[in-house]
Amino acid sequence: NAGVTQTPKFRVLKTGQSMTLLCAQDMNHEYMYWYRQDPGMGLRLIHYSVGEGTTAKGEVPDGYNVSRLKKQNFLLGLESAAPSQTSVYFCASSWVPYNEQFFGPGTRLTVL
Amino acid sequence: GENVEQHPSTLSVQEGDSAVIKCTYSDSASNYFPWYKQELGKRPQLIIDIRSNVGEKKDQRIAVTLNKTAKHFSLHITETQPEDSAVYFCAASIPGAGSYQLTFGKGTKLSVIP
């Protein structure tokens, strides 16, 4: 089992460009999450999903959109990237809420 | 919403000594408190968690204690080893119907000196 995978691993964007980050899990987990990690800020939840076809806002949702068309995939989109979105993005999944979350390897995004 | 404070932000200990990291939370309705370890350049991984109906939980050299009255919980690592060097994050569940979220502390960088 691959667990949780993320594509791409690294990306550099110019301000105003758009991109989509892909998260995939092969554990049949219902719950999926997108976090961003900035130095000294811990992990902050952007959006999450409680099942196929559902999405909900987390702590810092502005500037991001998500979609969960298939149970195993959770996509994070940036429509118009800004330098403030430079960060490391982690996807995670869990079988049930308030239980172990399995994290992907992360995507390092730089917006110039 | 829930607010989680984590202290200290950095901690250095000699190999073999104990390390303690403390977190406080604001919402008394929070009921799930995990701890994650993140090695440099790696993904966070769960090392231990505790629920509000339990006061203490141990797993080999790692233990977590929960004081619901004071709204704080702590991670204890005994007989520290160099491989314990990492950033540790605490988290607390955000209560409320349909929430399903965790709030994380800002992290503690633990350095174990051989």
Side-chain angles (χ1 to χ4, degrees):
Chain A
N1 288 351
V4 181
T5 59
Q6 292 182 231
T7 308
K9 290 185 171 55
F10 304 93
R11 186 72 187 267
V12 178
L13 289 178
K14 293 182 180 178
T15 297
Q17 287 185 321
S18 63
M19 78 162 295
T20 300
L21 283 67
L22 171 63
C23 175
Q25 53 94 5
D26 61 3
M27 296 175 283
N28 203 32
H29 285 170
E30 291 290 339
Y31 296 80
M32 297 188 74
Y33 315 85
W34 275 108
Y35 293 93
R36 61 178 289 173
Q37 184 175 39
D38 302 294
M41 295 296 293
L43 293 155
R44 292 183 293 169
L45 184 65
I46 305 171
H47 286 282
Y48 66 101
S49 169
V50 303
E52 182 178 315
T54 74
T55 62
K57 293 180 180 179
E59 179 186 354
V60 288
D62 294 343
Y64 305 95
N65 56 76
V66 288
S67 64
R68 182 109 180 259
L69 299 179
K70 293 183 179 180
K71 185 177 182 178
Q72 63 268 33
N73 295 337
F74 195 27
L75 278 65
L76 177 71
L78 286 73
E79 289 187 350
S80 180
S84 60
Q85 295 177 304
T86 293
S87 188
V88 178
Y89 291 85
F90 284 100
C91 175
S93 71
S94 65
W95 179 243
V96 293
Y98 306 150
N99 213 320
E100 180 174 6
Q101 291 187 14
F102 293 85
F103 284 79
T107 295
R108 184 173 294 277
L109 174 66
T110 301
V111 183
L112 302 175
Chain B
E2 178 65 279
N3 184 43
V4 175
E5 298 283 340
Q6 183 171 348
H7 298 281
S9 56
T10 60
L11 178 61
S12 291
V13 299
Q14 292 290 137
E15 182 177 356
D17 286 350
S18 295
V20 180
I21 303 170
K22 181 176 177 179
C23 288
T24 59
Y25 60 99
S26 58
D27 197 320
S28 57
S30 293
N31 56 16
Y32 175 64
F33 308 93
W35 286 91
Y36 284 80
K37 175 183 180 183
Q38 185 178 28
E39 297 176 359
L40 187 63
K42 301 289 182 64
R43 69 192 78 188
Q45 290 188 298
L46 180 75
I47 54 172
I48 196 166
D49 57 11
I50 193 168
R51 300 183 190 274
S52 57
N53 58 346
V54 175
E56 183 176 2
K57 185 176 178 180
K58 287 184 178 180
D59 183 3
Q60 299 182 343
R61 296 186 297 108
I62 293 173
V64 57
T65 57
L66 172 64
N67 183 326
K68 289 188 292 184
T69 303
K71 290 189 286 187
H72 68 72
F73 56 111
S74 300
L75 178 70
H76 304 255
I77 305 174
T78 59
E79 301 173 13
T80 53
Q81 301 168 3
E83 52 265 37
D84 295 328
S85 294
V87 178
Y88 293 81
F89 294 98
C90 64
S93 58
I94 299 177
S99 175
Y100 311 120
Q101 300 177 54
L102 296 176
T103 294
F104 284 82
K106 292 187 166 116
T108 297
K109 183 178 181 180
L110 173 65
S111 300
V112 179
I113 305 164

